[in-house]
Amino acid sequence: MIDYTEKIPNNVDLGRDRVLQRALEHWQPAYMNWWYDMGPSESHALEVYLRTATSVEPDGWAQFGYVRMPEYRWGIFLQPRDAARQVNFGVHKGQPAWQEVPGEYRSTLRRVIVTQGDTEPASVEQQRLLGMCCPSLYDLRNIFQVNVEEGRHLWAMVYLLHRYFGRDGREEAEALLERRSGDADNPRILGAFNEPTPDWLAFYMFTFFTDRDGKFQLCALAESGFDPLARTCRFMLTEEAHHMFVGETGISRILQRTCEVMQEHKVENASDVRALGVIDLQTMQKYLNFHFSVTIDLFGSDASSNAASYYTTGLKGRYEETKIDDDHMLQNAEYPVLEVSGNKIITRHVSALTALNERLRDDYIAEIQGGVDRWNKIMEQAGISFRLRLPHKGFHRAIGNFAGHSISPEGEVLTKEAWENNRDKWMPSAADQKFVQSLMTGRVIEPGKFANWIAPPIRGVNRQPLNFEYVRFN
Ligand code: BYC
């Protein structure tokens, strides 16, 4: 169980390590200052129906109740230790999992933990204004739940930095509160976390696509030979599931509403659909193209010596590593990657070790495709022929083999000029964004009411009715 009597709730017996406890208690007010500055705008006095972790066991870890977000009990929760756990891949395969950081991997591990940690506050910063134009109390509560849990994920990485990396870990933990999403001088580390999330369509796309990168990266880190990292990522994954649910159902509900309106008014043309105050399917496709492409960049280069060394040294595994039936060394294995050759895209077989980013990206894309198929069922059931499609992997890429190339959503290699001429057909244009913004000017906060452009969810949170007061404004 988690000890909530402590200033910092935890299940790591923090009270026994006074030095660590003091260091984290010193970081805590800096974190709170960051939350007040960069957390959800004008939200501090609201009472929000949130879930809080009570135990790290798979059953019954959550307790629901009204909380003012600054009073949320952020803390440190690791999955319980399995004393028999081993390093399951790479050159140390078969050794007992490490309980301390191996000296030779210290800086590499710290970099991975910092990169992971940096995404968590970044996403809160990206979403901070959205509460001001929420489509319902239900959605407002959900975004706040996502935000407090991203805050907790930051705590998870900061614990590792403080506990295992001494002074430079503490400095990195401070820097995590100093970088800012989109800041020209001190931006967040990874590209997608510096993109704005200006509206709720972008938010649902982000939680569907980008939080799922979080899932796959956390799964890979949950395989780590460094046991405390593995255990903390395992627990973070239980929280991540809700974020992806918010994204997938958010998009489903928008599609549902658009299809209802299209059927009711017998309209198909995008401008007629927009005139009825709902989001046309073409705009949904453009947002999808954007979020998919910036998210698949987050997996890193197709051929990466970093990825190879993370694996060989046992720091970061593959998705579901222990379920894969091979030697878990990959010294002689190959993996296909795509690259541009002249005006064609060709497949080349490269060392499976250097292609580990690509492999994780492919695992991710397979799961994403399942979600897109589920969305398409909504159009199918409404008798509408439009289907959403994932663009080609090379479309709009800034990292890896496709960076610097102009690839169409169908996978044709184009000239830069030809690509630019089609840009607004494939990606949200300024006018598209303006239209989506125009739907989201005020907030809908009457219990049980939903904005016109989104259908209500099938059920409420924690079996509460849809007209439950998920957020109290008092
Ligand atoms: N933008 O060898 P390369 C989440 C850098 S999301 C900017 O290709 P590597 C969440 C790279 O850092 C999951 N820079 O890549 C979701 C490297 O720089 P240095 C976050 C990029 O190292 C929603 C250089 O390019 N977790 O949790 O094999 C809400 C060459 O790198 C980008 C992780 O990412 C980019 N897109 O792999 C909240 C896991 N991509 O070091 C939360 C930890 C690459 O040469 N991170 N670069 O200066 C990693 O495992 C790896 O750092 C990466 C990159 C997979 C990201």
PDB file of all heavy atoms in Angstrom, residues 111-112 115-116 119-120 123 150 189-191 193 206 210-211 213-214 217 221 297-301 304 306-307 310 316 357 399, ligand 1:
ATOM      1  N   ARG A 111      20.514   9.894 -19.348  1.00  0.00           N
ATOM      2  CA  ARG A 111      19.960  10.578 -20.516  1.00  0.00           C
ATOM      3  C   ARG A 111      18.586  10.015 -20.905  1.00  0.00           C
ATOM      4  O   ARG A 111      17.650  10.760 -21.214  1.00  0.00           O
ATOM      5  CB  ARG A 111      20.921  10.483 -21.693  1.00  0.00           C
ATOM      6  CG  ARG A 111      20.499  11.406 -22.816  1.00  0.00           C
ATOM      7  CD  ARG A 111      21.529  11.506 -23.877  1.00  0.00           C
ATOM      8  NE  ARG A 111      21.669  10.214 -24.538  1.00  0.00           N
ATOM      9  CZ  ARG A 111      22.441   9.999 -25.588  1.00  0.00           C
ATOM     10  NH1 ARG A 111      23.158  10.975 -26.067  1.00  0.00           N
ATOM     11  NH2 ARG A 111      22.497   8.812 -26.143  1.00  0.00           N
ATOM     12  N   VAL A 112      18.455   8.705 -20.855  1.00  0.00           N
ATOM     13  CA  VAL A 112      17.156   8.099 -21.205  1.00  0.00           C
ATOM     14  C   VAL A 112      16.087   8.549 -20.196  1.00  0.00           C
ATOM     15  O   VAL A 112      14.962   8.912 -20.575  1.00  0.00           O
ATOM     16  CB  VAL A 112      17.268   6.555 -21.222  1.00  0.00           C
ATOM     17  CG1 VAL A 112      15.905   5.909 -21.374  1.00  0.00           C
ATOM     18  CG2 VAL A 112      18.192   6.107 -22.343  1.00  0.00           C
ATOM     19  N   THR A 115      15.156  12.143 -20.832  1.00  0.00           N
ATOM     20  CA  THR A 115      14.332  12.297 -22.044  1.00  0.00           C
ATOM     21  C   THR A 115      12.893  11.880 -21.745  1.00  0.00           C
ATOM     22  O   THR A 115      11.939  12.573 -22.115  1.00  0.00           O
ATOM     23  CB  THR A 115      14.892  11.451 -23.211  1.00  0.00           C
ATOM     24  OG1 THR A 115      16.277  11.763 -23.370  1.00  0.00           O
ATOM     25  CG2 THR A 115      14.167  11.730 -24.500  1.00  0.00           C
ATOM     26  N   GLN A 116      12.749  10.752 -21.062  1.00  0.00           N
ATOM     27  CA  GLN A 116      11.401  10.313 -20.685  1.00  0.00           C
ATOM     28  C   GLN A 116      10.743  11.353 -19.769  1.00  0.00           C
ATOM     29  O   GLN A 116       9.610  11.768 -19.997  1.00  0.00           O
ATOM     30  CB  GLN A 116      11.468   8.945 -19.977  1.00  0.00           C
ATOM     31  CG  GLN A 116      10.134   8.431 -19.483  1.00  0.00           C
ATOM     32  CD  GLN A 116       9.160   8.156 -20.617  1.00  0.00           C
ATOM     33  OE1 GLN A 116       9.490   7.513 -21.582  1.00  0.00           O
ATOM     34  NE2 GLN A 116       7.959   8.686 -20.493  1.00  0.00           N
ATOM     35  N   THR A 119       9.195  14.684 -21.240  1.00  0.00           N
ATOM     36  CA  THR A 119       7.940  14.683 -21.995  1.00  0.00           C
ATOM     37  C   THR A 119       6.735  14.934 -21.084  1.00  0.00           C
ATOM     38  O   THR A 119       5.709  15.431 -21.535  1.00  0.00           O
ATOM     39  CB  THR A 119       7.707  13.327 -22.699  1.00  0.00           C
ATOM     40  OG1 THR A 119       7.597  12.295 -21.708  1.00  0.00           O
ATOM     41  CG2 THR A 119       8.853  12.991 -23.640  1.00  0.00           C
ATOM     42  N   GLU A 120       6.874  14.577 -19.807  1.00  0.00           N
ATOM     43  CA  GLU A 120       5.702  14.596 -18.913  1.00  0.00           C
ATOM     44  C   GLU A 120       5.245  16.027 -18.613  1.00  0.00           C
ATOM     45  O   GLU A 120       4.093  16.366 -18.886  1.00  0.00           O
ATOM     46  CB  GLU A 120       5.995  13.815 -17.620  1.00  0.00           C
ATOM     47  CG  GLU A 120       6.709  12.468 -17.820  1.00  0.00           C
ATOM     48  CD  GLU A 120       5.857  11.398 -18.469  1.00  0.00           C
ATOM     49  OE1 GLU A 120       4.688  11.681 -18.758  1.00  0.00           O
ATOM     50  OE2 GLU A 120       6.364  10.274 -18.698  1.00  0.00           O
ATOM     51  N   SER A 123       3.858  17.855 -21.807  1.00  0.00           N
ATOM     52  CA  SER A 123       2.484  17.662 -22.284  1.00  0.00           C
ATOM     53  C   SER A 123       1.505  18.496 -21.453  1.00  0.00           C
ATOM     54  O   SER A 123       0.519  19.005 -21.982  1.00  0.00           O
ATOM     55  CB  SER A 123       2.110  16.183 -22.266  1.00  0.00           C
ATOM     56  OG  SER A 123       2.073  15.692 -20.954  1.00  0.00           O
ATOM     57  N   GLU A 150       0.356  13.021 -15.600  1.00  0.00           N
ATOM     58  CA  GLU A 150       1.631  13.366 -16.253  1.00  0.00           C
ATOM     59  C   GLU A 150       2.551  13.995 -15.209  1.00  0.00           C
ATOM     60  O   GLU A 150       3.762  13.749 -15.201  1.00  0.00           O
ATOM     61  CB  GLU A 150       1.435  14.325 -17.435  1.00  0.00           C
ATOM     62  CG  GLU A 150       0.564  13.807 -18.576  1.00  0.00           C
ATOM     63  CD  GLU A 150       1.035  12.524 -19.248  1.00  0.00           C
ATOM     64  OE1 GLU A 150       2.019  11.919 -18.781  1.00  0.00           O
ATOM     65  OE2 GLU A 150       0.404  12.103 -20.232  1.00  0.00           O
ATOM     66  N   ILE A 189      12.875  18.493 -24.972  1.00  0.00           N
ATOM     67  CA  ILE A 189      13.918  17.781 -25.719  1.00  0.00           C
ATOM     68  C   ILE A 189      13.422  17.248 -27.067  1.00  0.00           C
ATOM     69  O   ILE A 189      14.083  17.412 -28.087  1.00  0.00           O
ATOM     70  CB  ILE A 189      14.492  16.634 -24.848  1.00  0.00           C
ATOM     71  CG1 ILE A 189      15.187  17.224 -23.612  1.00  0.00           C
ATOM     72  CG2 ILE A 189      15.464  15.769 -25.656  1.00  0.00           C
ATOM     73  CD1 ILE A 189      15.584  16.190 -22.553  1.00  0.00           C
ATOM     74  N   LEU A 190      12.262  16.615 -27.079  1.00  0.00           N
ATOM     75  CA  LEU A 190      11.809  15.940 -28.306  1.00  0.00           C
ATOM     76  C   LEU A 190      10.808  16.806 -29.082  1.00  0.00           C
ATOM     77  O   LEU A 190       9.972  17.506 -28.484  1.00  0.00           O
ATOM     78  CB  LEU A 190      11.160  14.599 -27.966  1.00  0.00           C
ATOM     79  CG  LEU A 190      12.071  13.558 -27.288  1.00  0.00           C
ATOM     80  CD1 LEU A 190      11.269  12.333 -26.875  1.00  0.00           C
ATOM     81  CD2 LEU A 190      13.232  13.152 -28.194  1.00  0.00           C
ATOM     82  N   GLY A 191      10.902  16.679 -30.419  1.00  0.00           N
ATOM     83  CA  GLY A 191      10.137  17.547 -31.315  1.00  0.00           C
ATOM     84  C   GLY A 191       8.655  17.681 -30.994  1.00  0.00           C
ATOM     85  O   GLY A 191       8.162  18.789 -30.788  1.00  0.00           O
ATOM     86  N   PHE A 193       6.923  17.461 -28.540  1.00  0.00           N
ATOM     87  CA  PHE A 193       6.561  18.098 -27.273  1.00  0.00           C
ATOM     88  C   PHE A 193       6.783  19.612 -27.301  1.00  0.00           C
ATOM     89  O   PHE A 193       6.587  20.287 -26.301  1.00  0.00           O
ATOM     90  CB  PHE A 193       7.291  17.416 -26.112  1.00  0.00           C
ATOM     91  CG  PHE A 193       6.801  16.015 -25.945  1.00  0.00           C
ATOM     92  CD1 PHE A 193       7.392  14.967 -26.619  1.00  0.00           C
ATOM     93  CD2 PHE A 193       5.685  15.755 -25.174  1.00  0.00           C
ATOM     94  CE1 PHE A 193       6.902  13.678 -26.519  1.00  0.00           C
ATOM     95  CE2 PHE A 193       5.173  14.477 -25.063  1.00  0.00           C
ATOM     96  CZ  PHE A 193       5.786  13.425 -25.738  1.00  0.00           C
ATOM     97  N   PHE A 206      -3.471  13.876 -29.859  1.00  0.00           N
ATOM     98  CA  PHE A 206      -2.231  13.759 -29.086  1.00  0.00           C
ATOM     99  C   PHE A 206      -2.324  12.587 -28.103  1.00  0.00           C
ATOM    100  O   PHE A 206      -1.407  11.766 -28.005  1.00  0.00           O
ATOM    101  CB  PHE A 206      -1.976  15.068 -28.323  1.00  0.00           C
ATOM    102  CG  PHE A 206      -0.698  15.087 -27.539  1.00  0.00           C
ATOM    103  CD1 PHE A 206       0.466  15.611 -28.068  1.00  0.00           C
ATOM    104  CD2 PHE A 206      -0.644  14.588 -26.228  1.00  0.00           C
ATOM    105  CE1 PHE A 206       1.659  15.626 -27.346  1.00  0.00           C
ATOM    106  CE2 PHE A 206       0.532  14.593 -25.498  1.00  0.00           C
ATOM    107  CZ  PHE A 206       1.686  15.112 -26.056  1.00  0.00           C
ATOM    108  N   THR A 210       0.302  10.273 -29.399  1.00  0.00           N
ATOM    109  CA  THR A 210       1.574  10.552 -28.710  1.00  0.00           C
ATOM    110  C   THR A 210       1.633   9.848 -27.361  1.00  0.00           C
ATOM    111  O   THR A 210       2.675   9.316 -26.980  1.00  0.00           O
ATOM    112  CB  THR A 210       1.787  12.077 -28.601  1.00  0.00           C
ATOM    113  OG1 THR A 210       1.556  12.647 -29.895  1.00  0.00           O
ATOM    114  CG2 THR A 210       3.196  12.406 -28.147  1.00  0.00           C
ATOM    115  N   ASP A 211       0.519   9.804 -26.641  1.00  0.00           N
ATOM    116  CA  ASP A 211       0.545   9.025 -25.400  1.00  0.00           C
ATOM    117  C   ASP A 211       0.827   7.548 -25.696  1.00  0.00           C
ATOM    118  O   ASP A 211       1.376   6.834 -24.867  1.00  0.00           O
ATOM    119  CB  ASP A 211      -0.762   9.157 -24.615  1.00  0.00           C
ATOM    120  CG  ASP A 211      -0.769  10.434 -23.782  1.00  0.00           C
ATOM    121  OD1 ASP A 211      -1.085  11.491 -24.339  1.00  0.00           O
ATOM    122  OD2 ASP A 211      -0.414  10.367 -22.591  1.00  0.00           O
ATOM    123  N   ASP A 213       2.905   6.550 -28.009  1.00  0.00           N
ATOM    124  CA  ASP A 213       4.376   6.462 -28.058  1.00  0.00           C
ATOM    125  C   ASP A 213       4.861   6.271 -26.622  1.00  0.00           C
ATOM    126  O   ASP A 213       5.728   5.445 -26.354  1.00  0.00           O
ATOM    127  CB  ASP A 213       5.010   7.723 -28.662  1.00  0.00           C
ATOM    128  CG  ASP A 213       6.525   7.743 -28.431  1.00  0.00           C
ATOM    129  OD1 ASP A 213       7.172   6.708 -28.687  1.00  0.00           O
ATOM    130  OD2 ASP A 213       7.072   8.774 -27.984  1.00  0.00           O
ATOM    131  N   GLY A 214       4.238   7.045 -25.697  1.00  0.00           N
ATOM    132  CA  GLY A 214       4.593   6.873 -24.282  1.00  0.00           C
ATOM    133  C   GLY A 214       4.449   5.423 -23.859  1.00  0.00           C
ATOM    134  O   GLY A 214       5.340   4.840 -23.247  1.00  0.00           O
ATOM    135  N   GLN A 217       7.313   3.328 -25.451  1.00  0.00           N
ATOM    136  CA  GLN A 217       8.621   3.625 -24.849  1.00  0.00           C
ATOM    137  C   GLN A 217       8.670   3.097 -23.414  1.00  0.00           C
ATOM    138  O   GLN A 217       9.676   2.537 -22.980  1.00  0.00           O
ATOM    139  CB  GLN A 217       8.898   5.133 -24.852  1.00  0.00           C
ATOM    140  CG  GLN A 217       8.979   5.757 -26.247  1.00  0.00           C
ATOM    141  CD  GLN A 217      10.181   5.279 -27.054  1.00  0.00           C
ATOM    142  OE1 GLN A 217      11.109   4.655 -26.524  1.00  0.00           O
ATOM    143  NE2 GLN A 217      10.178   5.549 -28.350  1.00  0.00           N
ATOM    144  N   LEU A 221      11.186   0.411 -21.752  1.00  0.00           N
ATOM    145  CA  LEU A 221      11.974   0.707 -20.542  1.00  0.00           C
ATOM    146  C   LEU A 221      11.579  -0.218 -19.386  1.00  0.00           C
ATOM    147  O   LEU A 221      12.381  -0.476 -18.493  1.00  0.00           O
ATOM    148  CB  LEU A 221      11.800   2.172 -20.138  1.00  0.00           C
ATOM    149  CG  LEU A 221      12.338   3.204 -21.140  1.00  0.00           C
ATOM    150  CD1 LEU A 221      11.994   4.627 -20.697  1.00  0.00           C
ATOM    151  CD2 LEU A 221      13.851   3.057 -21.318  1.00  0.00           C
ATOM    152  N   ASP A 297       8.134  10.257 -35.489  1.00  0.00           N
ATOM    153  CA  ASP A 297       9.492  10.809 -35.334  1.00  0.00           C
ATOM    154  C   ASP A 297      10.060  10.538 -33.935  1.00  0.00           C
ATOM    155  O   ASP A 297      11.270  10.475 -33.749  1.00  0.00           O
ATOM    156  CB  ASP A 297       9.466  12.333 -35.548  1.00  0.00           C
ATOM    157  CG  ASP A 297       9.773  12.717 -36.986  1.00  0.00           C
ATOM    158  OD1 ASP A 297      10.248  11.855 -37.754  1.00  0.00           O
ATOM    159  OD2 ASP A 297       9.549  13.893 -37.330  1.00  0.00           O
ATOM    160  N   LEU A 298       9.172  10.433 -32.945  1.00  0.00           N
ATOM    161  CA  LEU A 298       9.641  10.277 -31.549  1.00  0.00           C
ATOM    162  C   LEU A 298      10.378   8.966 -31.304  1.00  0.00           C
ATOM    163  O   LEU A 298      11.000   8.794 -30.260  1.00  0.00           O
ATOM    164  CB  LEU A 298       8.445  10.334 -30.583  1.00  0.00           C
ATOM    165  CG  LEU A 298       7.777  11.699 -30.439  1.00  0.00           C
ATOM    166  CD1 LEU A 298       6.529  11.582 -29.585  1.00  0.00           C
ATOM    167  CD2 LEU A 298       8.748  12.678 -29.817  1.00  0.00           C
ATOM    168  N   PHE A 299      10.273   8.039 -32.244  1.00  0.00           N
ATOM    169  CA  PHE A 299      10.969   6.765 -32.053  1.00  0.00           C
ATOM    170  C   PHE A 299      12.445   6.847 -32.423  1.00  0.00           C
ATOM    171  O   PHE A 299      13.194   5.907 -32.213  1.00  0.00           O
ATOM    172  CB  PHE A 299      10.258   5.652 -32.846  1.00  0.00           C
ATOM    173  CG  PHE A 299       8.925   5.297 -32.258  1.00  0.00           C
ATOM    174  CD1 PHE A 299       7.784   6.019 -32.553  1.00  0.00           C
ATOM    175  CD2 PHE A 299       8.822   4.242 -31.361  1.00  0.00           C
ATOM    176  CE1 PHE A 299       6.556   5.710 -31.989  1.00  0.00           C
ATOM    177  CE2 PHE A 299       7.594   3.912 -30.785  1.00  0.00           C
ATOM    178  CZ  PHE A 299       6.466   4.651 -31.100  1.00  0.00           C
ATOM    179  N   GLY A 300      12.871   8.004 -32.978  1.00  0.00           N
ATOM    180  CA  GLY A 300      14.290   8.180 -33.310  1.00  0.00           C
ATOM    181  C   GLY A 300      14.622   7.666 -34.702  1.00  0.00           C
ATOM    182  O   GLY A 300      13.741   7.249 -35.463  1.00  0.00           O
ATOM    183  N   SER A 301      15.908   7.684 -35.036  1.00  0.00           N
ATOM    184  CA  SER A 301      16.349   7.306 -36.381  1.00  0.00           C
ATOM    185  C   SER A 301      16.128   5.825 -36.641  1.00  0.00           C
ATOM    186  O   SER A 301      16.233   5.011 -35.726  1.00  0.00           O
ATOM    187  CB  SER A 301      17.830   7.583 -36.565  1.00  0.00           C
ATOM    188  OG  SER A 301      18.096   8.903 -36.243  1.00  0.00           O
ATOM    189  N   SER A 304      20.078   3.444 -35.640  1.00  0.00           N
ATOM    190  CA  SER A 304      20.567   4.216 -34.493  1.00  0.00           C
ATOM    191  C   SER A 304      21.570   3.400 -33.683  1.00  0.00           C
ATOM    192  O   SER A 304      21.240   2.332 -33.160  1.00  0.00           O
ATOM    193  CB  SER A 304      19.369   4.609 -33.615  1.00  0.00           C
ATOM    194  OG  SER A 304      19.809   4.987 -32.340  1.00  0.00           O
ATOM    195  N   ASN A 306      22.706   4.493 -30.942  1.00  0.00           N
ATOM    196  CA  ASN A 306      22.233   4.636 -29.550  1.00  0.00           C
ATOM    197  C   ASN A 306      21.322   3.464 -29.191  1.00  0.00           C
ATOM    198  O   ASN A 306      21.469   2.836 -28.141  1.00  0.00           O
ATOM    199  CB  ASN A 306      21.379   5.902 -29.383  1.00  0.00           C
ATOM    200  CG  ASN A 306      22.206   7.177 -29.381  1.00  0.00           C
ATOM    201  OD1 ASN A 306      23.426   7.123 -29.264  1.00  0.00           O
ATOM    202  ND2 ASN A 306      21.541   8.314 -29.500  1.00  0.00           N
ATOM    203  N   ALA A 307      20.347   3.213 -30.092  1.00  0.00           N
ATOM    204  CA  ALA A 307      19.367   2.158 -29.810  1.00  0.00           C
ATOM    205  C   ALA A 307      20.079   0.815 -29.661  1.00  0.00           C
ATOM    206  O   ALA A 307      19.760   0.020 -28.764  1.00  0.00           O
ATOM    207  CB  ALA A 307      18.328   2.096 -30.925  1.00  0.00           C
ATOM    208  N   TYR A 310      21.786   0.780 -26.272  1.00  0.00           N
ATOM    209  CA  TYR A 310      20.811   0.643 -25.161  1.00  0.00           C
ATOM    210  C   TYR A 310      20.444  -0.836 -24.998  1.00  0.00           C
ATOM    211  O   TYR A 310      20.289  -1.346 -23.896  1.00  0.00           O
ATOM    212  CB  TYR A 310      19.502   1.399 -25.437  1.00  0.00           C
ATOM    213  CG  TYR A 310      19.593   2.910 -25.488  1.00  0.00           C
ATOM    214  CD1 TYR A 310      18.601   3.655 -26.146  1.00  0.00           C
ATOM    215  CD2 TYR A 310      20.630   3.609 -24.885  1.00  0.00           C
ATOM    216  CE1 TYR A 310      18.655   5.040 -26.205  1.00  0.00           C
ATOM    217  CE2 TYR A 310      20.685   4.997 -24.954  1.00  0.00           C
ATOM    218  CZ  TYR A 310      19.697   5.709 -25.608  1.00  0.00           C
ATOM    219  OH  TYR A 310      19.744   7.078 -25.674  1.00  0.00           O
ATOM    220  N   LYS A 316      17.476  -0.883 -22.411  1.00  0.00           N
ATOM    221  CA  LYS A 316      16.141  -0.671 -22.992  1.00  0.00           C
ATOM    222  C   LYS A 316      15.853  -1.834 -23.925  1.00  0.00           C
ATOM    223  O   LYS A 316      16.623  -2.084 -24.854  1.00  0.00           O
ATOM    224  CB  LYS A 316      16.147   0.666 -23.761  1.00  0.00           C
ATOM    225  CG  LYS A 316      14.826   1.043 -24.375  1.00  0.00           C
ATOM    226  CD  LYS A 316      14.898   2.404 -25.083  1.00  0.00           C
ATOM    227  CE  LYS A 316      13.598   2.677 -25.816  1.00  0.00           C
ATOM    228  NZ  LYS A 316      13.688   3.872 -26.667  1.00  0.00           N
ATOM    229  N   ASN A 357      14.889   1.064 -33.126  1.00  0.00           N
ATOM    230  CA  ASN A 357      13.892   2.155 -33.112  1.00  0.00           C
ATOM    231  C   ASN A 357      12.812   1.877 -34.143  1.00  0.00           C
ATOM    232  O   ASN A 357      11.622   2.096 -33.902  1.00  0.00           O
ATOM    233  CB  ASN A 357      14.541   3.497 -33.450  1.00  0.00           C
ATOM    234  CG  ASN A 357      15.398   4.037 -32.318  1.00  0.00           C
ATOM    235  OD1 ASN A 357      15.265   3.603 -31.174  1.00  0.00           O
ATOM    236  ND2 ASN A 357      16.278   4.975 -32.638  1.00  0.00           N
ATOM    237  N   ILE A 399      12.873  13.153 -38.708  1.00  0.00           N
ATOM    238  CA  ILE A 399      13.919  12.337 -38.072  1.00  0.00           C
ATOM    239  C   ILE A 399      14.049  11.036 -38.876  1.00  0.00           C
ATOM    240  O   ILE A 399      13.039  10.456 -39.269  1.00  0.00           O
ATOM    241  CB  ILE A 399      13.519  11.982 -36.611  1.00  0.00           C
ATOM    242  CG1 ILE A 399      13.254  13.241 -35.759  1.00  0.00           C
ATOM    243  CG2 ILE A 399      14.525  11.050 -35.950  1.00  0.00           C
ATOM    244  CD1 ILE A 399      14.445  13.888 -35.128  1.00  0.00           C
TER     245      ILE A 399
HETATM  246  N1  BYC B   1      12.973  15.162 -31.575  1.00  0.00           N
HETATM  247  O1  BYC B   1      19.910   7.784 -32.510  1.00  0.00           O
HETATM  248  P1  BYC B   1      18.721   8.658 -32.547  1.00  0.00           P
HETATM  249  C1  BYC B   1       5.717   9.949 -23.411  1.00  0.00           C
HETATM  250  C2  BYC B   1      17.592  13.016 -31.021  1.00  0.00           C
HETATM  251  S1  BYC B   1       6.437   9.839 -24.958  1.00  0.00           S
HETATM  252  C3  BYC B   1      14.171  15.724 -31.231  1.00  0.00           C
HETATM  253  O2  BYC B   1      17.934   8.740 -33.772  1.00  0.00           O
HETATM  254  P2  BYC B   1      17.841   7.446 -30.219  1.00  0.00           P
HETATM  255  C4  BYC B   1       4.563  10.842 -23.277  1.00  0.00           C
HETATM  256  C5  BYC B   1      18.089  12.018 -29.998  1.00  0.00           C
HETATM  257  O3  BYC B   1      17.694  12.409 -28.673  1.00  0.00           O
HETATM  258  C6  BYC B   1       7.826   8.751 -24.738  1.00  0.00           C
HETATM  259  N2  BYC B   1      15.310  15.031 -31.115  1.00  0.00           N
HETATM  260  O4  BYC B   1      17.696   8.365 -31.445  1.00  0.00           O
HETATM  261  C7  BYC B   1       3.617  10.969 -24.252  1.00  0.00           C
HETATM  262  C8  BYC B   1      19.580  12.052 -30.217  1.00  0.00           C
HETATM  263  O5  BYC B   1      20.099  13.205 -29.587  1.00  0.00           O
HETATM  264  P3  BYC B   1      21.516  13.154 -28.874  1.00  0.00           P
HETATM  265  C9  BYC B   1       9.083   9.462 -24.288  1.00  0.00           C
HETATM  266  C10 BYC B   1      15.264  13.706 -31.376  1.00  0.00           C
HETATM  267  O6  BYC B   1      18.711   8.070 -29.217  1.00  0.00           O
HETATM  268  C11 BYC B   1       2.570  11.853 -24.118  1.00  0.00           C
HETATM  269  C12 BYC B   1      19.688  12.272 -31.737  1.00  0.00           C
HETATM  270  O7  BYC B   1      18.427  12.822 -32.147  1.00  0.00           O
HETATM  271  N3  BYC B   1      10.093   8.518 -23.910  1.00  0.00           N
HETATM  272  O8  BYC B   1       6.152   9.331 -22.512  1.00  0.00           O
HETATM  273  O9  BYC B   1      18.083   6.069 -30.675  1.00  0.00           O
HETATM  274  C13 BYC B   1       2.439  12.603 -22.951  1.00  0.00           C
HETATM  275  C14 BYC B   1      19.961  11.002 -32.521  1.00  0.00           C
HETATM  276  O10 BYC B   1      19.074  10.069 -32.035  1.00  0.00           O
HETATM  277  C15 BYC B   1      14.074  13.052 -31.737  1.00  0.00           C
HETATM  278  C16 BYC B   1      11.179   8.248 -24.623  1.00  0.00           C
HETATM  279  O11 BYC B   1      11.421   8.832 -25.665  1.00  0.00           O
HETATM  280  C17 BYC B   1      12.890  13.861 -31.846  1.00  0.00           C
HETATM  281  N4  BYC B   1      11.704  13.331 -32.211  1.00  0.00           N
HETATM  282  O12 BYC B   1      16.316   7.440 -29.768  1.00  0.00           O
HETATM  283  C18 BYC B   1       3.375  12.475 -21.964  1.00  0.00           C
HETATM  284  C19 BYC B   1      12.093   7.181 -24.092  1.00  0.00           C
HETATM  285  N5  BYC B   1      14.350  11.753 -31.938  1.00  0.00           N
HETATM  286  O13 BYC B   1      21.294  12.228 -27.706  1.00  0.00           O
HETATM  287  C20 BYC B   1       4.438  11.591 -22.095  1.00  0.00           C
HETATM  288  C21 BYC B   1      13.469   7.651 -23.842  1.00  0.00           C
HETATM  289  C22 BYC B   1      15.659  11.594 -31.715  1.00  0.00           C
HETATM  290  O14 BYC B   1      22.443  12.626 -29.893  1.00  0.00           O
HETATM  291  N6  BYC B   1      14.141   8.098 -25.032  1.00  0.00           N
HETATM  292  N7  BYC B   1      16.197  12.762 -31.358  1.00  0.00           N
HETATM  293  O15 BYC B   1      21.716  14.577 -28.447  1.00  0.00           O
HETATM  294  C23 BYC B   1      14.758   7.275 -25.912  1.00  0.00           C
HETATM  295  O16 BYC B   1      14.733   6.084 -25.769  1.00  0.00           O
HETATM  296  C24 BYC B   1      15.501   7.895 -27.067  1.00  0.00           C
HETATM  297  O17 BYC B   1      16.055   9.074 -26.628  1.00  0.00           O
HETATM  298  C25 BYC B   1      14.647   8.169 -28.307  1.00  0.00           C
HETATM  299  C26 BYC B   1      15.600   8.552 -29.457  1.00  0.00           C
HETATM  300  C27 BYC B   1      13.826   6.951 -28.672  1.00  0.00           C
HETATM  301  C28 BYC B   1      13.716   9.344 -28.137  1.00  0.00           C
END
